[in-house]
């Protein structure tokens, strides 16, 4: 129990205070090495305990959607704690968007009904954009997509603004405790301890333990991913200026290329590569940049994927790029693909997920296709196919030379002033401190994709501490029974699944027709809950 000046730990069984131990408020060797903790073990370490029924770890959009469901289902604010090192739910996502060239006026890879600020999905982003801009174009788009128009996708700035509105409505800040989550351990007697390292100077101890019945983990991607040869180059030559990841700040590249002609190599063929390509070509068109773009493909696609058991894939393939509206088929969110995935296990599920959305692909957008066609015709966009043997600094000290082995065995040295790695983010649990600890000490296992193994309710298998449960969502659960786990709509579906399981346990009310309609009206009016 915590008040403004003193922390007192109570034994939930007896209701009596637990005497503070001789510890200094930090983790002991015994605690680090022990899978199941007792209340006395934490008290002996001098770590204060905060009792709260539900804890969500991460504080990003996955945590936000989960909390939104619970608040709408009637859970009081004081029964929820959000443990996070960020100030607003979209902070990390916005950082990655800005670096990968998706500023506020550009569009995300999500459809109109993927609305993390609105559990009902109505009105969708297309309806709201049309109303806001006083234009019918977004409304018309969703009626004729994807046959006569590309899929509608929302502007990132609009999404962030709507999230701010809903965060204020549900009292997000009152549930947020800032700090770095160190681990989640099972508690003898049921439930869990979640260990938070608060910001320096905000607590009298180094750690705080949150004792809860339920824990939800949605931490996003652990780190940036670099291609092996580029990582070796950066580590060997300590050159972080000429070789960058698209998700890290690299505005200096565009500023330099606008001042003087240069060559830039782009690695990767997904949506991030599309965004980087758009920015480079926009700078040519709008600012007169004389940039030559070298696009290096490891795999040059010439036809859609084909799997005899599933048939021919529906991705359009053009100029080496594979086009697909979203990271999985729309049917994987609610249709035959979703139903099929729910029944598949092990390697069969992994194979089907790879068929639905595996490999690099990017949305089909008219302006991107026009830029690629024009670049190839005019010669400022050139394609190469092959594997990189090594990357070394250029002789002029202002370039990088990539040695590329082509498919025919020929070896070519390709110089460029800059190399931009667009191959994505790291999603393996072993690369995240909390997730890795769950694998080592929390009983968690891996699914066929190497992510956290969850059941149909998104409880992490092997982590149960009855009556408590530990749930997970987002990128850390990719490869689960639900294909679109790492998407706005996927985060909403996962949160809904968890909320229903919690309702069965009696933690929250069931959102029936009456409650749903009344709560939707409150959402429309912006009424705080």
């Amino acid at each position: 129990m915590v008040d403004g000046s003193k922390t007192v730990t109570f034994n939930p069984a007896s209701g009596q205070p637990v005497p503070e131990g001789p510890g200094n408020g930090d983790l002991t060797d015994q605690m680090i090495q022990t899978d199941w903790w007792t209340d006395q073990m934490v008290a002996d370490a001098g770590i204060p305990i905060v009792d709260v029924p539900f804890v969500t770890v991460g504080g990003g959009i996955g945590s936000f959607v989960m909390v939104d469901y619970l608040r709408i289902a009637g859970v009081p604010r004081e029964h929820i704690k959000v443990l996070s090192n960020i100030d607003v739910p979209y902070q990390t996502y916005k950082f990655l968007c800005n670096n990968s060239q998706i500023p506020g006026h550009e569009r995300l890879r999500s459809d109109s009904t993927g609305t993390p600020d609105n559990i009902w999905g109505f009105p969708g982003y297309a309806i709201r954009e049309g109303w806001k801009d006083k234009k019918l174009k977004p409304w018309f788009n969703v009626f004729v997509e994807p046959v006569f128009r590309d899929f509608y996708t929302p502007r990132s700035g609009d999404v962030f603004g709507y999230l701010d509105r809903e965060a204020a409505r549900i009292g997000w800040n009152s549930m947020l405790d800032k700090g770095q989550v160190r681990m989640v351990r099972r508690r003898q007697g049921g439930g869990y301890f979640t260990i938070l390292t608060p910001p320096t100077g905000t607590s009298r101890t180094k750690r705080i333990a949150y004792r809860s019945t339920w824990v939800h983990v949605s931490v996003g991607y652990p780190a940036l991913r670099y291609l092996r040869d580029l990582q070796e180059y950066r580590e060997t030559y300590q050159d972080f200026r000429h070789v960058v990841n698209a998700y890290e700040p690299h505005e200096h590249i565009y500023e330099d290329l606008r001042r003087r002609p240069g060559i830039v190599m782009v690695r990767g063929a997904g949506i991030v590569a599309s965004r980087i390509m758009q920015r480079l070509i926009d700078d040519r068109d709008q600012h007169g940049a004389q940039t030559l773009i070298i696009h290096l493909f490891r795999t040059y696609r010439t036809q859609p994927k084909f799997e005899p058991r599933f048939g021919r894939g529906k991705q359009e393939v053009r100029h080496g790029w594979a086009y697909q509206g979203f990271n999985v088929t729309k049917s994987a969110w609610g249709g035959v693909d979703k139903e099929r995935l729910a029944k598949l296990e092990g390697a069969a599920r992994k194979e089907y997920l790879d068929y639905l959305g595996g490999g690099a692909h990017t949305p089909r957008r008219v302006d991107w296709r026009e830029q690629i066609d024009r670049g190839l015709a005019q010669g400022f966009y050139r394609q190469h196919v092959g594997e990189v043997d090594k990357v070394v600094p250029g002789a002029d000290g202002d370039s990088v030379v990539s040695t590329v082995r082509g498919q025919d065995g020929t070896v070519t040295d390709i110089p460029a002033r800059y190399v931009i790695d667009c191959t994505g983010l790291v999603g393996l649990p072993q690369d995240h401190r909390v997730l890795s600890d769950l694998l080592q000490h929390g009983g968690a296992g891996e699914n066929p994709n190497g992510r956290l193994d969850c059941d149909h309710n998104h409880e992490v298998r092997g982590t149960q501490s009855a009556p408590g449960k530990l749930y997970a969502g987002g990128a850390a659960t990719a490869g689960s029974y639900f294909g679109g786990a790492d998407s706005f709509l996927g985060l909403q579906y996962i949160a809904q699944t968890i909320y229903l399981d919690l309702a069965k346990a009696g933690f929250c009310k069931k959102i029936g027709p009456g409650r749903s309609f009344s709560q939707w009206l409150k959402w429309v009016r912006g009424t705080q809950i």
Side-chain angles (χ1 to χ4, degrees):
M1 181 176 178
V2 178
D3 60 29
S5 59
K6 184 179 179 182
T7 302
V8 181
T9 301
F10 285 89
N11 185 313
S14 65
Q16 299 300 312
V18 176
E20 288 194 13
N24 60 0
D26 198 359
L27 297 167
T28 64
D29 291 339
Q30 180 193 17
M31 295 175 71
I32 292 173
Q33 296 166 10
T34 304
D35 295 350
W36 292 79
W37 291 357
T38 65
D39 295 337
Q40 195 62 52
M41 187 185 298
V42 179
D44 287 345
I47 300 175
I49 299 176
V50 177
D51 280 305
V52 62
F54 185 89
V55 165
T56 178
V57 176
I61 297 176
S63 289
F64 178 84
V65 176
M66 185 71 256
V67 171
D68 200 29
Y69 260 98
L70 294 179
R71 294 287 291 118
I72 290 169
V75 178
R77 299 180 188 183
E78 57 269 22
H79 288 182
I80 301 171
K81 278 297 180 186
V82 180
L83 306 184
S84 177
N85 62 350
I86 57 178
D87 296 310
V88 292
Y90 55 81
Q91 184 172 322
T92 301
Y93 185 64
K94 183 178 181 180
F95 173 81
L96 296 173
C97 284
N98 287 340
N99 291 337
S100 60
Q101 307 309 304
I102 312 177
H105 65 278
E106 291 287 358
R107 297 185 180 275
L108 302 169
R109 192 183 193 180
S110 182
D111 75 347
S112 178
T113 58
T115 55
D117 68 298
N118 175 4
I119 70 169
W120 301 272
F122 179 82
Y125 287 137
I127 294 177
R128 286 188 255 178
E129 182 180 325
W131 185 266
K132 178 181 178 181
D133 295 351
K134 302 297 188 289
K135 293 180 179 179
L136 295 176
K137 183 178 178 181
W139 301 0
F140 177 73
N141 199 118
V142 295
F143 279 111
V144 300
E145 67 182 25
V147 178
F148 300 108
R149 291 286 190 277
D150 294 338
F151 281 113
Y152 167 86
T153 53
R155 296 179 297 227
S156 66
D158 289 345
V159 173
F160 301 148
Y162 294 134
L163 286 170
D164 281 335
R165 175 185 182 271
E166 183 67 355
R169 196 181 76 86
I170 65 174
W172 175 262
N173 287 340
S174 67
M175 297 174 280
L176 175 65
D177 278 8
K178 291 289 295 296
Q180 189 73 43
V181 174
R182 174 68 174 80
M183 61 180 63
V184 180
R185 291 292 173 91
R186 290 167 290 181
R187 172 181 173 270
Q188 290 189 20
Y192 305 86
F193 286 108
T194 303
I195 298 297
L196 180 79
T197 305
T200 303
T202 62
S203 172
R204 63 183 180 80
T205 57
K206 185 176 181 180
R207 317 283 186 184
I208 298 175
Y210 291 78
R211 181 169 51 195
S212 64
T213 305
W214 298 281
V215 174
H216 169 253
V217 178
S218 187
V219 294
Y221 288 94
L224 304 181
R225 177 173 60 193
Y226 291 89
L227 292 164
R228 178 189 53 78
D229 54 278
L230 297 182
Q231 181 65 28
E232 290 177 355
Y233 172 87
R234 285 166 62 103
E235 292 176 352
T236 301
Y237 300 102
Q238 292 296 292
D239 181 3
F240 308 105
R241 176 176 174 81
H242 294 95
V243 174
V244 302
N245 184 287
Y247 283 114
E248 66 183 339
H250 61 279
E251 190 65 24
H252 67 277
I253 292 179
Y254 308 107
E255 292 173 353
D256 182 39
L257 292 172
R258 282 165 61 171
R259 287 194 302 265
R260 54 179 179 147
I263 302 173
V264 60
M265 175 182 284
V266 175
R267 305 272 300 270
I271 184 172
V272 178
S274 294
R275 280 294 180 191
I276 298 300
M277 207 76 70
Q278 179 190 1
R279 172 65 189 273
L280 292 167
I281 297 175
D282 282 350
D283 281 355
R284 284 183 58 92
D285 296 341
Q286 300 169 15
H287 302 286
Q290 298 298 307
T291 304
L292 173 62
I293 304 167
I294 303 295
H295 190 188
L296 180 61
F297 291 84
R298 184 174 58 184
T299 302
Y300 192 88
R301 299 281 296 276
T302 58
Q303 60 183 3
K305 290 180 294 186
F306 178 75
E307 170 55 55
R309 290 167 296 170
F310 309 137
R312 185 170 298 279
K314 297 180 180 180
Q315 292 178 348
E316 177 188 357
V317 176
R318 193 164 178 265
H319 296 318
W321 296 79
Y323 293 98
Q324 180 169 307
F326 307 101
N327 55 354
V328 291
T329 61
K330 294 198 77 170
S331 179
W333 285 324
V336 293
D337 288 333
K338 176 179 177 292
E339 295 301 317
R340 185 169 189 171
L341 281 169
K343 299 174 183 177
L344 294 175
E345 299 289 346
R349 189 166 78 240
K350 183 180 187 303
E351 290 174 1
Y352 197 57
L353 281 168
D354 288 343
Y355 167 75
L356 295 179
H361 49 76
T362 189
R364 178 184 181 274
R365 296 183 182 173
V366 172
D367 52 344
W368 290 353
R369 289 156 59 94
E370 184 277 329
Q371 287 183 329
I372 295 299
D373 291 345
R374 179 158 49 90
L376 289 169
Q378 296 179 8
F380 63 80
Y381 168 62
R382 302 175 186 177
Q383 298 178 329
H384 290 266
V385 184
E387 296 277 350
V388 175
D389 284 345
K390 63 178 179 179
V391 181
V392 297
D396 61 358
D398 192 30
S399 63
V400 177
V401 179
S402 301
T403 301
V404 180
R405 186 175 301 276
Q407 293 178 323
D408 59 359
T410 59
V411 177
T412 307
D413 288 339
I414 303 178
R417 186 179 305 155
Y418 299 105
V419 177
I420 305 178
D421 183 349
C422 303
T423 54
L425 299 161
V426 172
L428 294 177
Q430 294 85 349
D431 296 306
H432 191 283
R433 195 172 196 179
V434 175
L435 303 183
S436 178
D437 190 79
L438 283 174
L439 292 174
Q440 294 177 36
H441 297 283
E446 299 178 25
N447 67 25
N449 281 44
R451 312 294 176 86
L452 293 181
D453 185 25
C454 299
D455 65 14
H456 287 85
N457 292 324
H458 273 268
E459 179 186 354
V460 181
R461 287 191 172 113
T463 63
Q464 188 173 47
S465 179
K469 292 183 179 182
L470 189 149
Y471 304 95
T477 66
S480 65
Y481 296 101
F482 184 73
D486 185 28
S487 65
F488 284 170
L489 198 58
L491 294 175
Q492 289 180 272
Y493 174 82
I494 291 169
Q496 184 183 60
T497 302
I498 296 171
Y499 131 75
L500 288 171
D501 197 47
L502 291 170
K504 290 179 183 177
F507 177 57
C508 58
K509 300 174 183 177
K510 188 77 177 289
I511 305 176
R515 185 173 187 83
S516 179
F517 183 66
S518 66
Q519 289 291 323
W520 180 78
L521 287 178
K522 290 181 179 179
W523 178 88
V524 170
R525 296 166 180 161
T527 304
Q528 286 200 346
I529 57 175

